[in-house]
Amino acid sequence: MKNIAVIGAGTMGNGIAHTFAQSGFTVKLIDLSEKSIEKGMMTIASNLDRMVAKGTITEEDRAKTIGNIITYTDLKDGVTGADLVVEAATENVELKLNIFRQLNEYCSHGTILATNTSSISITQIASVVTHPERVIGMHFMNPVPIMKLVEIIRGYNTTDNVTKIIMDLSEKLGKVPVEVNDYPGFVANRILMPMINESIETLYNGVAGVYEIDTVMKLGMAHPMGPLQLADFIGLDVCLAILNVMYDGFKNPKYAPCPLLVNMVRAGKLGVKSGEGFYDYSESKKAEKVSAQFSK
């Protein structure tokens, strides 16, 4: 298994492509938007430059990694001949089902089809594929090149052989694969999202402010990042989508998203990606910080 196709050049997609390419695999990075492809490749180059500066990799390693990536804006051309396809599109059920319908048409029956979904049922995604036993979840963590964990999620029909291939492959990437079963949120988000949601509820109820809540969790629980800041980095729209999947799947009110989260997403305050969430990431705010540093 040497030829990997990655669908989606966004944060997760370019990170997955980077990781495979750095491990010596030939990677086809696919996105319908040329602009997204360019942005994704710039991110990969920037991350590799950072690794060179830290002495983690050499200039030769950087060049080889970039050279291992080929970009496509046509899905059929991109996935043709791939041994493994990793879908890393937006966390939207209908979008993913549509992509897998096309993969069923374009890929050979021997191609393993993986999805990087963080909460959507693997079994549901596999239901639109002729051979559902080859569909599996590979839930990478962000930032992909750095984070070690990969949740390997078996759908109802996923075979032992396909699971073993993907577990072994993840180890070749220098990751630590953990096999889990196909239930809403899997393990990572089933535990993480209720914590984030409860943090938002705590803010919503006026118990404490953003800074105070995050400080308690960082200093009191030794979390490297507070839950509200983490939500901003994940994307509040993504957090909302995952909570909705779990709420729909379990019909348990403990997974119901906080009204404050719903309203913030409706208002377009999505976190880092939009420039504002629980914190302000706008250019003007950055300028204020720089000005304050020089005025000291």
Side-chain angles (χ1 to χ4, degrees), residues 50-108:
R50 196 174 295 112
M51 295 172 80
V52 170
K54 290 181 178 179
T56 309
I57 63 172
T58 65
E59 284 285 358
E60 184 181 0
D61 294 330
R62 179 194 184 281
K64 284 181 178 178
T65 300
I66 294 292
N68 283 338
I69 303 173
I70 310 163
T71 60
Y72 290 83
T73 53
D74 183 272
L75 180 62
K76 184 176 181 179
D77 289 345
V79 301
T80 298
D83 300 309
L84 167 68
V85 178
V86 182
E87 170 272 315
T90 305
E91 193 75 349
N92 177 284
V93 176
E94 289 307 317
L95 173 62
K96 290 182 185 293
L97 290 176
N98 184 50
I99 289 172
F100 273 77
R101 288 188 187 100
Q102 293 178 74
L103 294 179
N104 186 55
E105 179 182 348
Y106 300 150
C107 298
S108 72

Side-chain angles (χ1 to χ4, degrees), residues 120-151:
I120 298 169
S121 168
I122 308 303
T123 304
Q124 182 181 6
I125 292 172
S127 69
V128 299
V129 174
T130 304
H131 294 278
E133 67 275 6
R134 62 189 170 130
V135 178
I136 194 165
M138 289 185 80
H139 181 207
F140 290 86
M141 304 294 122
N142 185 33
V144 180
I146 296 171
M147 299 292 280
K148 291 291 186 182
L149 176 66
V150 183
E151 270 189 311

Side-chain angles (χ1 to χ4, degrees), residues 5-11 13-15 17-18 27-46 66 69-75 78 88:
V6 178
I7 301 172
T11 301
N14 71 60
H18 171 164
V27 180
K28 297 177 178 179
L29 180 58
I30 309 158
D31 200 294
L32 297 179
S33 166
E34 188 65 50
K35 184 177 180 181
S36 295
I37 288 282
E38 291 176 4
K39 185 178 179 182
M41 290 303 296
M42 286 177 62
T43 299
I44 292 170
S46 176
I66 294 292
I69 303 173
I70 310 163
T71 60
Y72 290 83
T73 53
D74 183 272
L75 180 62

Side-chain angles (χ1 to χ4, degrees), residues 143-201:
V144 180
I146 296 171
M147 299 292 280
K148 291 291 186 182
L149 176 66
V150 183
E151 270 189 311
I152 306 299
I153 308 104
R154 296 182 63 140
Y156 188 83
N157 294 299
T158 308
T159 63
D160 290 341
N161 184 51
V162 166
T163 303
K164 185 178 187 309
I165 289 171
I166 296 303
M167 293 283 283
D168 292 345
L169 179 65
S170 299
E171 290 180 354
K172 290 177 182 177
L173 297 176
K175 303 300 184 185
V176 178
V178 177
E179 181 183 336
V180 304
N181 291 318
D182 186 21
Y183 292 95
F186 316 131
V187 172
N189 282 317
R190 184 169 178 170
I191 295 170
L192 174 63
M193 285 302 153
M195 183 190 74
I196 286 177
N197 197 45
E198 191 62 31
S199 301
I200 300 171
E201 285 279 1

